[in-house]
Amino acid sequence: MNQKETQAEKLTNPEAVKTRPIKPLDTDRIKQDFPILNEKINGKRLVYLDSAATSQKPKVVIEALTNYYNRTNSNIHRGLHTLAEHATQAYEQTRAHVASFIGGVHSSEVIFTSGTTHSINTVATAWGNENISEGDEIVITEMEHHANMVPWFMLAKRQNATLKRIPITVCGHLDLSDLDKIITEKTKIVAVTHMSNVLGTINPFDKIVARAKKVGALVLVDGAQSAPHLKIDVKALDVDFYTFSSHKMLGPTGVGVLWGRKEILNKMTPLLYGGEMIREVSFERITWAELPSKMEAGTPNIADVVAFDAALDYLERLGMDRIRQHEMELTAYAIDKLSKIDGIEIQGPLETDQRGGAISFTDSDIHPHDISTFLDANGIAIRAGHHCAQPLMRVLGKMATARASLYIYNDQADVDILCDSLVEMRRFFGL
Amino acid sequence: MTSLDDMYREVIMDHYRAPRGKKPLEESNVSSHGHNPSCGDEIDMKVLVKDNYLKGIHIDCKGCAISTASASIMAETLEGKSFDEVLKIAATVKALLKGEIDEVDEDLGDIDSLAGVRQFPVRIKCALLAWVTLVEGLKNYAEGKDESGEVTLSGSLDHDD
């Protein structure tokens, strides 16, 4: 039996993966599962290094989507016919899957949204409007994506509350030294990213959660960048809300998750009103449905939720521990190789146990936009700009950065092409 | 010639490395600020308009090779031109970048070298930033509104319409 067949067997047998010590990912085989990676970009093989923006999708996810429309499509929860029943089962199966994926929570605590942005806005509006009042404090950090900043900014503005922030150190870690002064008795919620989309930093939650609990504040985690790459256990994190998006973890766009503690969600007034979220409606009185329906007004994004199940399956078959191991090794390789190129400076922590595979870098002479254009001509997709984190860019003193982000289908050959192209780029620009 | 070579022509790279219009003006009566939110590029300009002529232009551009070079070409080309000529040339640059025309008059200096940007649609905004920022400042000046303009590029190319 050749190596690929062995690997194939393991992919179909999750138990086989679990019981052995961490075995490296077979990226050659994984690449074959992603049809888009066969695309030629500007005549070159696509080297996709922009998974922090959105991941590519394996064939099984694309097929799950078309299968759903070909064979199961129906509205959920309300029909009495067979298709409606099948669609409902498939939709609810993903919910149960998400619940186990994030550490074995109750399914009713898993709310489907359109994405992390929608999830955070739901909390900032539905929970925020009823629980934040004048003089209260909301705490975020300097490394937040606009999705975990703007909703809190607007909530603070609406309610005359104060938005405070945890600063970052020069190395790109959260500076928790003044935590007790930042999170105070007035703090009602602390919203922090699990992994920075710019710096790659993985934030520790123990001190933040301990301090928040002491003052009676809730903790929301922006998990958009962490859920695709780390084993998530929301109970171990001991937080109150966890939010993430399907599209960054092999699933379709348009699906997000808001996980919240049942006792908090139960008390929340829904953000959206309409069908499916009510128990009884009359012209005099309306009562809400039970969780999770209460939080999912209208016909949800059924097909994409159903296909998200296949993405979770795929990730679990590989194993989140193996994914993390692969990304740590590849990130170390990339950081080492990038640092050796003249003029290239990496932003964010360098220790791979404290960071993920989103690697921001700048060139001392070449603007990130020019870097991105040059790399694109070589078939390499990276992101250049402020990465929806303008306040962080100001802290870093940069207008923009280039960002290469790694995932399960990337290997050392991809990093080599990136680095060779950067060297070639500097020559092209006469440096 | 590859499309990269076409965009980053020698002329463009020369303007990028040694941008014109760097020298601060002693006197100015128009100022304008432009911003491209998609990449963070920023441009500040001060202009002296006297007797309907653009007598001086000072540009402070923090941006990529294309936005810097385009701003430099603008400073070099427009100095000494009349108000009407300036607006006409700005419209020509826009038409060139949008692909509505393929050639420009020879007396327009290095403007024709911006044509290579057209193969990179996402970079057209970079090349336009300086021009729309200037036009906005001049329009405000002409309308006697204020001496300063403020431009934020959005998805459309029709910022100055």
Side-chain angles (χ1 to χ4, degrees):
Chain A
M1 197 188 282
N2 69 30
Q3 207 191 338
K4 274 185 185 157
E5 278 163 355
T6 318
Q7 191 62 33
E9 183 199 70
K10 290 214 179 68
L11 282 174
T12 56
N13 180 4
E15 290 311 311
V17 176
K18 269 186 209 157
T19 50
R20 287 181 173 83
I22 291 180
K23 192 175 154 48
L25 294 186
D26 182 352
T27 43
D28 285 347
R29 195 197 138 75
I30 290 171
K31 275 178 195 283
Q32 290 170 24
D33 290 337
F34 290 78
I36 204 168
L37 297 179
N38 295 320
E39 287 294 303
K40 291 265 185 288
I41 302 294
N42 297 315
K44 307 280 171 58
R45 169 174 87 80
L46 167 63
V47 176
Y48 190 75
L49 297 173
D50 196 20
S51 296
T54 194
S55 77
Q56 295 302 348
K57 321 301 173 199
K59 228 177 319 182
V60 284
V61 169
I62 301 165
E63 281 165 3
L65 198 54
T66 52
N67 277 346
Y68 172 80
Y69 280 124
N70 281 330
R71 309 195 50 204
T72 317
N73 183 49
S74 183
N75 212 331
I76 53 169
H77 292 140
R78 55 196 81 171
L80 293 175
H81 54 80
T82 306
L83 273 185
E85 180 57 23
H86 287 174
T88 304
Q89 272 170 15
Y91 183 82
E92 291 304 324
Q93 181 181 312
T94 305
R95 195 191 309 277
H97 201 164
V98 169
S100 82
F101 189 84
I102 59 175
V105 298
H106 201 279
S107 282
S108 65
E109 296 178 321
V110 172
I111 313 296
F112 286 119
T113 64
S114 68
T116 308
T117 299
H118 183 184
S119 301
I120 296 173
N121 273 279
T122 300
V123 178
T125 306
W127 179 88
N129 286 354
E130 292 187 338
N131 291 279
I132 299 287
S133 44
E134 191 164 348
D136 286 347
E137 293 173 352
I138 299 159
V139 173
I140 59 170
T141 82
E142 278 181 347
M143 65 167 82
E144 298 310 316
H145 186 283
H146 293 163
N148 198 29
M149 195 257 161
V150 182
W152 304 114
F153 179 93
M154 294 308 291
L155 171 63
K157 205 174 151 193
R158 278 198 304 278
Q159 310 296 96
N160 275 323
T162 308
L163 183 64
K164 294 167 85 177
R165 57 185 191 264
I166 300 171
I168 59 167
T169 66
V170 282
C171 305
H173 293 289
L174 287 182
D175 179 355
L176 301 177
S177 53
D178 275 338
L179 196 62
D180 291 359
K181 284 186 199 141
I182 299 166
I183 301 176
T184 72
E185 299 290 335
K186 290 180 180 170
T187 306
K188 292 289 178 293
I189 192 161
V190 182
V192 178
T193 182
H194 199 177
M195 190 193 287
S196 162
N197 69 312
V198 177
L199 304 168
T201 319
I202 298 171
N203 289 321
F205 274 84
D206 46 352
K207 283 185 188 154
I208 292 173
V209 169
R211 178 64 189 157
K213 277 190 185 302
K214 202 167 173 196
V215 300
L218 302 185
V219 177
L220 175 142
V221 182
D222 172 358
Q225 295 294 336
S226 49
H229 307 282
L230 307 177
K231 197 179 192 112
I232 302 301
D233 185 338
V234 296
K235 287 194 283 193
L237 279 172
D238 204 12
V239 294
D240 303 287
F241 296 107
Y242 198 93
T243 59
F244 57 101
S245 299
S246 141
H247 76 94
K248 291 191 201 289
M249 48 199 299
L250 313 182
T253 53
V255 175
V257 170
L258 165 61
W259 170 81
R261 287 187 194 278
K262 196 185 262 180
E263 58 272 25
I264 304 169
L265 293 176
N266 269 331
K267 279 189 219 148
M268 260 163 79
T269 303
L271 177 70
L272 299 175
Y273 309 117
E276 200 55 51
M277 49 80 66
I278 44 77
R279 180 182 292 150
E280 258 182 285
V281 176
S282 69
F283 283 107
E284 289 74 36
R285 188 163 175 270
I286 296 169
T287 49
W288 309 136
E290 294 292 319
L291 288 174
S293 303
K294 169 181 124 172
M295 304 296 283
E296 293 180 7
T299 296
N301 187 354
I302 307 165
D304 291 310
V305 166
V306 169
F308 183 34
D309 192 50
L312 295 172
D313 271 341
Y314 193 95
L315 289 171
E316 283 175 337
R317 274 194 304 248
L318 294 180
M320 294 311 288
D321 289 338
R322 287 173 76 209
I323 291 172
R324 174 68 181 137
Q325 183 69 26
H326 167 75
E327 290 177 5
M328 277 171 75
E329 284 166 14
L330 195 55
T331 302
Y333 181 78
I335 286 178
D336 182 55
K337 221 168 159 173
L338 282 166
S339 330
K340 286 182 180 145
I341 303 172
D342 274 346
I344 300 288
E345 187 194 341
I346 291 167
Q347 308 291 323
L350 302 177
E351 315 87 341
T352 52
D353 59 331
Q354 293 164 42
R355 62 162 300 138
I359 307 170
S360 272
F361 60 94
T362 50
D363 183 294
S364 52
D365 303 286
I366 305 170
H367 189 280
H369 256 195
D370 296 312
I371 297 175
S372 178
T373 296
F374 188 91
L375 295 178
D376 182 55
N378 284 325
I380 306 165
I382 62 150
R383 174 90 188 260
H386 52 62
H387 314 291
C388 297
Q390 289 177 4
L392 173 60
M393 288 292 140
R394 245 162 259 138
V395 172
L396 295 175
K398 304 279 175 198
M399 307 293 286
T401 70
R403 181 189 69 191
S405 50
L406 309 168
Y407 206 17
I408 52 172
Y409 33 67
N410 294 120
D411 55 16
Q412 292 193 353
D414 293 340
V415 174
D416 291 344
I417 293 173
L418 169 71
C419 293
D420 291 349
S421 297
L422 288 172
V423 171
E424 191 192 326
M425 169 191 78
R426 290 185 56 83
R427 219 179 300 130
F428 180 88
F429 280 96
L431 298 162
Chain B
M1 189 165 60
T2 69
S3 52
L4 272 180
D5 292 319
D6 193 22
M7 178 160 76
Y8 296 110
R9 294 172 197 190
E10 246 343 287
V11 180
I12 296 284
M13 294 310 287
D14 176 61
H15 278 280
Y16 171 50
R17 291 196 189 103
R20 308 350 172 219
K22 275 290 208 195
K23 206 176 140 209
L25 301 178
E26 283 177 11
E27 186 192 351
S28 67
N29 48 12
V30 181
S31 70
S32 194
H33 175 79
H35 176 226
N36 183 349
S38 75
C39 59
D41 283 3
E42 297 215 32
I43 191 162
D44 268 308
M45 57 181 75
K46 296 226 180 296
V47 179
L48 176 63
V49 179
K50 229 177 190 172
D51 306 326
N52 245 358
Y53 277 81
L54 199 149
K55 293 286 190 188
I57 181 161
H58 165 67
I59 295 174
D60 181 14
C61 179
K62 294 186 186 73
C64 63
I66 302 306
S67 63
T68 306
S70 184
S72 170
I73 290 170
M74 184 181 86
E76 188 176 74
T77 318
L78 296 187
E79 191 147 345
K81 295 277 193 294
S82 75
F83 210 102
D84 289 344
E85 281 174 308
V86 167
L87 294 181
K88 214 176 125 195
I89 295 169
T92 304
V93 170
K94 200 169 119 179
L96 178 72
L97 288 167
K98 287 173 88 172
E100 291 163 3
I101 53 170
D102 289 323
E103 284 177 2
V104 297
D105 294 345
E106 275 177 27
D107 61 352
L108 288 184
D110 293 336
I111 283 175
D112 63 340
S113 62
L114 289 170
V117 179
R118 297 187 299 190
Q119 295 164 77
F120 297 87
V122 293
R123 304 302 299 278
I124 291 173
K125 276 200 267 175
C126 307
L128 271 176
L129 181 63
W131 299 87
V132 297
T133 304
L134 176 72
V135 168
E136 185 67 18
L138 292 179
K139 264 169 66 185
N140 285 345
Y141 172 79
E143 287 165 14
K145 269 191 207 160
D146 189 323
E147 285 188 355
S148 60
E150 181 79 34
V151 175
T152 298
L153 287 187
S154 63
S156 152
L157 293 182
D158 302 323
H159 316 285
D160 51 350
D161 288 345

